[in-house]
Amino acid sequence: MTDQQKQTLLDQAKNILRKNNRGGFTVPTDRLYPFQWNWDSGFVSFGLAHFDLPAAMSELRTLFTGQWENGMVPHILFHSEKETTYFPNYQIWNAAVNAGAPQKPVTSGITQPPVHGFALERIYNLYRENKEVENFVREMFPKIVRFHRFFYEYRDPRKEGLVFIYHPWESGRDNSPLWDEAMANIKINKNELPPYERQDNKIADPSERPTDADYDRYVYLLELGKKNKYDGPGIAANSPFLIQDTLFNAILIKSNNALINLGIQFDFDVSELEDWQAMSVGRFNEKLWNEELGIYVSYDLRAEKQIALNEIGGIAALFAECVPFEQAEKINNYLTNLIKKDFFLCPTFDPADPKFDSKRYWRGPIWPHMNWLIYQGCIKYGFDQTAAQLKKDILGLVTQFGFYEYYEPQKKISQQLKKGYGGNDFSWAASSIIDLLMKNEK
Ligand code: 2M8
């Protein structure tokens, strides 16, 4: 890639982040997702930090204005109550059933992967010795620790060090084949579901989105959450969907680690974080490694078994840096084989599995921020060739098609396409590309 091409990509990416800024925060993409999303904002914050520090800090500050009294940071902050083009809207969530939810901004009632600890560390590493950033770290650190405490208090009833999610939206990988079995166990009686109308499939191509059967179950689990005032004890007791997700726990571990690093530098007490971390790292390796597949997998707490499928969350465990080298090598072998088989890196689901669907959302396509995560992991383990391939593939796709939500992983099919999949001018795609292209540490 020439310097000129890199500069063009950087300019485009910065323009997307400026265009998607709504004053203090960034929407993931116009129209399809017109509010502030939790983990999107984490990714966006460190992309912004490369060229607009005030915007980067506002991004995280604004997100944490949605933090609940129990510490949870919700997956959506509905900053505009007039905007009605997204389902489910704030009225359907009715977060006020929980007295600790803020009145403003109104929010959803579930959460998303806690990327903010490592995002904060990344911003700090870009601006060491900057007083404003130091103050920002001091301000954000306790809020993010509170968020992590929420997980260990509310989402880990057996005190294992592994936290559960109770809605696929919390995983960030909404319709991943990982959830199929648990979702199929939810028997839907339409009369018991409130009437609802999807909006997403009017804006994006329905063949690139979750199915109606998925949405029925998303609504069912939302209602279950609401009945339990979101995070009441009835969730762990009754939710048919109760999963210890690999990616979610890997990100928690990575962010714990980032907070420990920052806490030591800033003289915060990190003993609580260290206790959580010791428990989480040990259990992650014990319970979520699948020797037969050679990858980490999620664990279904309802069915009491591993979800033995080869999926991107298991690969992204490399990012958490808690993986012994022998295991990391097996994951790297899997990625190397994919390259040989004529796939761009990295499909979100195993192309050899019949459930693989190369264009349907989290069932196969490539997502730029996931490449960013795995790239960082590969660098840490010294898998330089795989890292280079991850970077090359995502830069190539973005250069060819633009900053889409996701992309076709099969080279032969990709050649015949004119665009990516899902939403366009996507914020975390822009942010990940900026971070991959800029010099990483100042
Ligand atoms: C997608 O999820 C939302 C629900 O949260 C949706 O489909 O309506 C997912 O890709 C999720 O990971 C992401 O945070 C969100 C916004 O980009 O969109």
Side-chain angles (χ1 to χ4, degrees):
M1 177 169 267
T2 65
D3 285 351
Q4 183 56 44
Q5 282 170 320
K6 279 186 194 161
Q7 196 51 50
T8 306
L9 272 190
L10 276 175
D11 292 344
Q12 289 170 342
K14 289 177 188 174
N15 282 338
I16 288 170
L17 291 183
R18 287 190 194 106
K19 188 179 83 157
N20 289 344
N21 188 289
R22 295 289 180 273
F25 71 96
T26 310
V27 296
T29 180
D30 196 30
R31 293 181 64 235
L32 185 61
Y33 306 126
F35 303 105
Q36 185 173 23
W37 255 260
N38 178 325
W39 74 319
D40 297 61
S41 270
F43 279 94
V44 163
S45 69
F46 60 77
L48 280 172
H50 285 282
F51 67 101
D52 187 347
L53 177 63
M57 294 193 294
S58 295
E59 190 71 38
L60 288 183
R61 275 196 183 111
T62 307
L63 181 69
F64 277 76
T65 62
Q67 187 163 31
W68 290 22
E69 270 170 29
N70 62 9
M72 186 190 72
V73 181
H75 96 298
I76 307 175
L77 274 61
F78 296 94
H79 292 295
S80 161
E81 292 170 33
K82 287 191 206 117
E83 169 67 70
T84 52
T85 54
Y86 181 80
F87 171 83
N89 65 27
Y90 73 97
Q91 285 160 320
I92 296 170
W93 282 104
N94 192 18
V97 294
N98 184 308
Q103 283 175 357
K104 213 167 179 57
V106 279
T107 72
S108 69
I110 56 171
T111 189
Q112 267 187 334
V115 295
H116 319 88
F118 74 74
L120 185 68
E121 188 185 34
R122 198 139 188 97
I123 296 172
Y124 174 66
N125 284 341
L126 287 172
Y127 288 93
R128 279 164 184 270
E129 315 286 317
N130 174 318
K131 282 275 161 278
E132 214 189 335
V133 174
E134 286 180 6
N135 289 337
F136 180 63
V137 172
R138 285 199 187 89
E139 171 194 334
M140 292 308 300
F141 181 92
K143 297 182 185 185
I144 303 177
V145 173
R146 251 182 82 205
F147 185 28
H148 287 209
R149 192 174 299 121
F150 158 80
F151 287 118
Y152 291 99
E153 275 181 21
Y154 287 82
R155 298 299 186 90
D156 184 16
R158 299 180 191 165
K159 302 294 166 219
E160 291 183 87
L162 292 177
V163 307
F164 71 71
I165 54 168
Y166 74 87
H167 197 299
W169 283 337
E170 294 197 304
S171 72
R173 310 188 309 298
D174 307 359
N175 69 340
S176 168
L178 291 187
W179 321 136
D180 285 3
E181 217 176 293
M183 294 290 263
N185 284 335
I186 304 177
K187 301 291 170 232
I188 296 291
N189 177 350
K190 275 280 193 189
N191 298 327
E192 285 169 14
L193 278 192
Y196 73 92
E197 199 181 332
R198 290 178 67 172
Q199 302 291 334
D200 61 298
N201 54 3
K202 298 185 184 132
I203 299 171
D205 180 340
S207 68
E208 297 165 14
R209 294 287 307 172
T211 62
D212 287 345
D214 290 328
Y215 261 77
D216 279 349
R217 284 157 181 83
Y218 298 156
V219 173
Y220 174 95
L221 291 168
L222 185 164
E223 293 298 324
L224 179 94
K226 196 161 36 179
K227 251 183 251 147
N228 287 283
K229 300 192 168 116
Y230 300 114
D231 279 296
I235 302 273
N238 300 321
S239 175
F241 186 93
L242 208 69
I243 313 275
Q244 290 167 324
D245 175 34
T246 39
L247 178 68
F248 204 103
N249 281 282
I251 284 182
L252 181 65
I253 288 172
K254 175 74 183 183
S255 280
N256 276 341
N257 198 41
L259 290 172
I260 292 169
N261 294 339
L262 288 172
I264 291 169
Q265 288 177 69
F266 284 79
D267 252 352
F268 284 105
D269 179 1
V270 294
S271 50
E272 187 183 27
L273 280 161
E274 284 174 339
D275 290 347
W276 294 333
Q277 186 71 332
M279 214 169 45
S280 292
V281 171
R283 206 71 184 126
F284 187 91
N285 279 304
E286 257 168 54
K287 194 173 182 183
L288 303 187
W289 175 252
N290 184 302
E291 185 60 33
E292 214 172 301
L293 293 177
I295 198 169
Y296 289 86
V297 295
S298 294
Y299 189 90
D300 185 330
L301 284 171
R302 215 29 96 219
E304 283 295 0
K305 61 170 190 191
Q306 285 190 341
I307 304 174
L309 292 171
N310 203 326
E311 185 265 349
I312 196 147
I315 301 168
L318 288 179
F319 175 67
E321 295 167 40
C322 66
V323 175
F325 192 74
E326 201 186 315
Q327 267 86 330
E329 267 189 317
K330 291 190 177 157
I331 299 175
N332 187 44
N333 289 342
Y334 168 74
L335 291 170
T336 314
N337 279 333
L338 280 181
I339 305 173
K340 286 188 204 137
K341 286 187 190 140
D342 231 17
F343 285 95
F344 290 121
L345 290 185
C346 179
T348 33
F349 192 66
D350 184 5
D353 190 299
K355 283 172 180 283
F356 172 76
D357 181 339
S358 72
K359 66 187 290 203
R360 204 183 277 279
Y361 211 36
W362 286 97
R363 302 181 76 87
I366 296 171
W367 291 67
H369 68 299
M370 294 304 295
N371 266 36
W372 181 91
L373 281 177
I374 302 170
Y375 170 85
Q376 309 299 336
C378 286
I379 293 281
K380 288 280 177 193
Y381 282 90
F383 304 142
D384 292 349
Q385 279 186 350
T386 315
Q389 192 69 40
L390 282 155
K391 184 167 169 180
K392 180 167 172 263
D393 286 354
I394 200 60
L395 290 179
L397 289 166
V398 174
T399 307
Q400 190 179 353
F401 298 116
F403 291 75
Y404 274 86
E405 193 175 5
Y406 39 103
Y407 300 89
E408 172 63 49
Q410 299 170 94
K411 290 188 181 168
K412 275 198 195 115
I413 298 185
S414 180
Q415 277 162 10
Q416 299 154 22
L417 299 178
K418 293 207 165 53
K419 59 188 205 62
Y421 297 139
N424 195 0
D425 287 353
F426 220 87
S427 296
W428 62 14
S431 179
S432 305
I433 297 303
I434 293 172
D435 197 73
L436 283 173
L437 287 177
M438 302 283 284
K439 223 167 147 233
N440 277 339
E441 314 281 314
K442 270 195 178 154

